[in-house]
Amino acid sequence: MRCGNGDRAGGGDRAARAYRTILRDRAFLRLWALTALIVAFGYAQYSAAFPAFATGEAGLDAHQLAFAFAVNTVAVVVAQLPVLGVLRGRRRTSALAFAFAATGIAWAIVLAGGGAPSPATAATLFAVAMVALAIGETAVSPSAPALANDLAPDALRGRYNGVYTLAWTTGFAAGPALAGAMLAAGQASVLMLTLIAACALGATGSLRLARHLPPGVDVVDGVEPDALLQEPALA
């Protein structure tokens, strides 16, 4: 059976209305921008800026760099449940701010490692930085994607999540482009300072996002933080 022009036009109108609804959702757009920011200045730099900085500025060899990556992988696995336990019942915006803060601390340690007196000292600092970065990564999952999903009306959940995914795509495209340009210009330390500043901006923006969210959305695991204080103690 062929669809008539009216059916196709009607479908196009519904899609246009759906995307107009998303573009009018200021809370969602703020979240989208924050997600793109943490991906561009956090996740993407793990593979774009960090290896070049570690080997170029600090003189790490392949084995030392591989050790730092291994520490990050192990830390992500180990930290997932403890971090989720700490965040449970707290605000998702606070969790996202924490993720930005941990990421910024990681890049600050990396910057310090660039001026270390020896590659061995730098490798130790970089391993510590990768632990901080891993903790920040584990705080993103229960905060930003969950917020995007809960902000979406049931009828538009698929489109909301589709648009939200573009924030990750944008971040992974913009982050390496920025790193490549600054590293090529010999501005490795300035790049790290830029990453730290962007993370500070993201942490502030995450906390400010709380005032723009509807009730019941800004909480990990669906329990309002204030409600935890109001629940009667069990006998």
Side-chain angles (χ1 to χ4, degrees):
M1 180 183 296
R2 295 183 178 179
C3 295
N5 291 334
D7 293 335
R8 289 195 296 270
D13 289 343
R14 286 192 296 271
R17 287 196 299 270
Y19 288 117
R20 282 197 295 268
T21 299
I22 294 172
L23 293 175
R24 287 195 297 266
D25 190 336
R26 294 186 177 181
F28 177 78
L29 294 180
R30 288 172 182 268
L31 175 64
W32 192 98
L34 288 169
T35 300
L37 190 69
I38 199 167
V39 173
F41 293 92
Y43 284 88
Q45 302 305 332
Y46 170 75
S47 56
F50 173 65
F53 186 90
T55 55
E57 298 297 311
L60 263 65
D61 59 29
H63 295 291
Q64 291 169 322
L65 182 61
F67 175 73
F69 283 137
V71 167
N72 176 262
T73 301
V74 172
V76 168
V77 174
V78 172
Q80 283 181 356
L81 291 180
V83 170
L84 184 59
V86 170
L87 296 179
R88 184 171 290 114
R90 300 181 185 274
R91 297 191 181 279
R92 287 169 172 165
T93 48
S94 297
L96 186 57
F98 172 78
F100 272 109
T103 303
I105 290 171
W107 297 137
I109 298 172
V110 168
L111 179 61
S118 68
T121 302
T124 301
L125 288 172
F126 290 154
V128 174
M130 291 300 99
V131 172
L133 189 63
I135 292 173
E137 291 174 23
T138 59
V140 172
S141 295
S143 55
L147 277 172
N149 191 65
D150 283 356
L151 283 172
D154 290 339
L156 299 178
R157 196 172 305 279
R159 295 189 189 276
Y160 263 75
N161 284 317
V163 172
Y164 178 73
T165 301
L166 289 176
W168 290 77
T169 306
T170 301
F172 276 119
L178 172 67
M182 296 191 73
L183 290 171
Q187 300 295 323
S189 295
V190 175
L191 171 61
M192 287 298 153
L193 290 172
T194 302
L195 301 184
I196 295 167
C199 288
L201 179 64
T204 302
S206 299
L207 295 176
R208 290 181 176 177
L209 175 63
R211 71 186 68 170
H212 300 282
L213 297 176
V217 170
D218 189 16
V219 59
V220 177
D221 280 359
V223 181
E224 290 285 2
D226 295 339
L228 294 177
L229 303 177
Q230 299 171 2
E231 291 180 355
L234 296 176

